[in-house]
């Protein structure tokens, strides 16, 4: 809006000074000045979509290699918002953007298990460590910032959960295999926790 107002003012002054050519030049200069006072805002945490994944739910018991198991949210931390303000080009408007981070834990199945061989995130295969995998290198990179807990009975609370919930309140979730995700960028999902499916090898 400020760009339009600036363009009208600049075009009027330009027409008075230099006729039609002056109006055109004045419009461009005025619009650019007006845009420099414009701030474009993106949605903030309070305006975000409701999380659709529900906490809790039944826990699968597996034998051999089993897939796909739908994961359940068993813990989620509060969203964190990182705000930035950048100017778009020389004389352009300022754009306020947010990066939305969240830590959470997805219960996989009853443990202990030997391992997880494949993971689907929102129906996209993102992790595959089978011998015939075509995305082995990408899978290792995807696992950065994530931990797979195998659900042993001596399992300890994950440091991410301890840091947010407090050591005395952090559940160890012993006997449950869990995927813990630390500070994932969920801006594109408006901080909604993704849906997961897992291929599991039992212990």
């Amino acid at each position: 809006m400020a760009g339009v107002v600036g363009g009208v003012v600049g075009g009027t002054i330009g027409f008075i000074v230099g006729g039609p050519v002056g109006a055109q030049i004045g419009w461009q200069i005025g619009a650019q000045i007006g845009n420099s006072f414009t701030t474009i805002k993106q949605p903030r945490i309070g305006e975000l979509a409701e999380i659709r994944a529900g906490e809790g739910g039944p826990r699968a018991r597996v034998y051999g290699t089993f897939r796909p198991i739908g994961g359940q949210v068993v813990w989620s931390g509060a969203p964190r918002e990182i705000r930035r303000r950048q100017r778009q080009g020389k004389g352009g408007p300022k754009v306020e953007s947010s990066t939305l981070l969240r830590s959470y834990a997805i219960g996989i199945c009853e443990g202990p298990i030997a391992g997880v061989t494949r993971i689907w995130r929102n129906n996209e295969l993102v992790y595959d460590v089978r011998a015939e995998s075509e995305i082995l290198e990408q899978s290792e990179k995807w696992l950065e910032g994530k931990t797979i807990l195998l659900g042993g009975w001596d399992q300890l609370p994950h440091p991410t959960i301890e840091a947010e919930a407090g050591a005395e309140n952090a559940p160890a979730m012993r006997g449950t295999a869990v995927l813990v995700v630390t500070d994932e960028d969920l801006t594109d999902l408006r901080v909604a926790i993704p849906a997961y499916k897992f291929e599991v090898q039992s212990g």
Side-chain angles (χ1 to χ4, degrees), residues 11 36 49 76 114 124 143 147 156 163 168 178:
S36 68
S76 63
E124 177 188 357
L143 200 59
T147 306
L156 298 175
E168 66 282 358
V178 179

Side-chain angles (χ1 to χ4, degrees), residues 48-49 98-101 121-122 124 184-192 194:
L48 299 172
S98 292
T99 298
L100 305 170
L101 307 177
R121 179 186 183 272
N122 285 346
E124 177 188 357
E184 182 177 16
D185 185 345
L186 295 177
T187 306
D188 60 333
L189 297 178
R190 300 183 68 194
V191 93

